[in-house]
Amino acid sequence: KFEIILIQLLLLVFNCMSIRTKLPIDKVILNAKYPTTWPFKPDDFKRQDESIDSNFYSQPRFVYHIDDDAVKSITNYYDQAIKPNSNILDICSSWVSHLPTNKPYGKVVGLGMNDLELKANKQLTSYNLQDLNVNAKFPYDANTFDIVTCVVSVDYLIKPLEVFKEINRVLKPQGKVIISQSNRCFPTKAINIWLNTNDLEHAFIIGSYIHYAGGFSQVIGLDITADKPFADPIFIIQAEKL
């Protein structure tokens, strides 16, 4: 009995220690003070593996890159943030876009790199293949989409300023960009500055991309990580086009 009680106590302590405290992502964004000019250096966007990304992503990966609870958190957030019949662009898209299934959408367009993954994404009405690290210009007209999403992929962008300017261009006025991000990644393809900073700094980096791209307002940050032991962290940075 003593051994059983001891094990139970140890498990209780272990579980308590493993529960992650919510990060003040909202305060990071709210209180952000950005330098007058773009503060990043070319070395910040270098990677351990500088080989062409189309080779790295040539094989389909039909797996989630975050845990099920993080996926559910993104879908739940989309449910309250995205209105029915919205036209949506999902950049860095793959075989799943995490959209809730309880409402209709307009067109849902994927912009990604693997044809088999995008073809398997049943939520997309169409898709385009493009490596944004080679060509950051989106193949869409201005003022086309109500929503632009990007799920756990902003850490791979080596031309983030150009990409976020394109996000602003293709959004309709008052359209939203929703960046959902974790600290799970392919480390050899993540940019240097990402690997050398923490989650609060990651939020600041994404906020800075939005700030320097220009044309956005209503920037918010939220930690939507599930309240479970060892849940993958997931946070949102969202902004509205002016």
Side-chain angles (χ1 to χ4, degrees), residues 202-222:
H202 293 162
F204 182 87
I205 290 169
I206 298 171
S208 71
Y209 294 166
I210 292 170
H211 172 78
Y212 292 107
F216 290 104
S217 66
Q218 308 290 326
V219 187
I220 61 171
L222 298 167

Side-chain angles (χ1 to χ4, degrees), residues 134-197:
V134 173
N135 177 15
K137 178 76 172 178
F138 294 178
Y140 314 112
D141 292 336
N143 306 314
T144 297
F145 299 99
D146 302 291
I147 300 287
V148 175
T149 61
C150 181
V151 178
V152 294
S153 296
V154 75
D155 46 325
Y156 304 122
L157 297 175
I158 64 173
K159 300 178 179 181
L161 185 59
E162 293 92 328
V163 168
F164 277 77
K165 286 182 177 180
E166 280 296 285
I167 290 172
N168 184 272
R169 183 183 67 82
V170 302
L171 277 173
K172 298 176 183 178
Q174 286 77 57
K176 296 177 185 176
V177 56
I178 304 174
I179 308 296
S180 51
Q181 193 61 43
S182 182
N183 57 20
R184 307 298 189 255
C185 67
F186 299 119
T188 59
K189 281 296 184 181
I191 57 174
N192 281 340
I193 194 170
W194 196 268
L195 297 179
N196 290 294
T197 47

Side-chain angles (χ1 to χ4, degrees), residues 29-132:
I29 298 301
L30 181 64
N31 299 321
K33 304 295 183 186
Y34 300 109
T36 304
T37 58
W38 179 253
F40 302 108
K41 302 175 181 177
D43 283 350
D44 292 330
F45 302 104
K46 289 185 177 179
R47 302 162 298 169
Q48 296 171 22
D49 177 6
E50 292 285 12
S51 65
I52 188 168
D53 290 338
S54 57
N55 292 335
F56 183 83
Y57 295 105
S58 62
Q59 293 298 316
R61 295 174 173 89
F62 294 109
V63 296
Y64 290 131
H65 300 292
I66 47 179
D67 65 23
D68 290 346
D69 289 318
V71 170
K72 187 181 296 184
S73 292
I74 294 172
T75 300
N76 289 342
Y77 184 79
Y78 284 173
D79 193 30
Q80 57 92 12
I82 300 176
K83 295 178 180 179
N85 302 310
S86 292
N87 291 325
I88 301 168
L89 172 62
D90 184 26
I91 69 169
C92 305
S93 189
S94 65
W95 67 282
V96 62
S97 292
H98 309 293
L99 297 170
T101 58
N102 62 347
K103 65 179 71 175
Y105 303 101
K107 57 185 177 183
V108 181
V109 181
L111 184 61
M113 294 188 62
N114 187 278
D115 186 62
L116 290 177
E117 287 188 22
L118 293 167
K119 193 173 294 182
N121 188 332
K122 302 305 181 186
Q123 294 190 305
L124 300 180
T125 57
S126 65
Y127 66 85
N128 299 91
L129 293 171
Q130 186 168 317
D131 182 352
L132 294 177

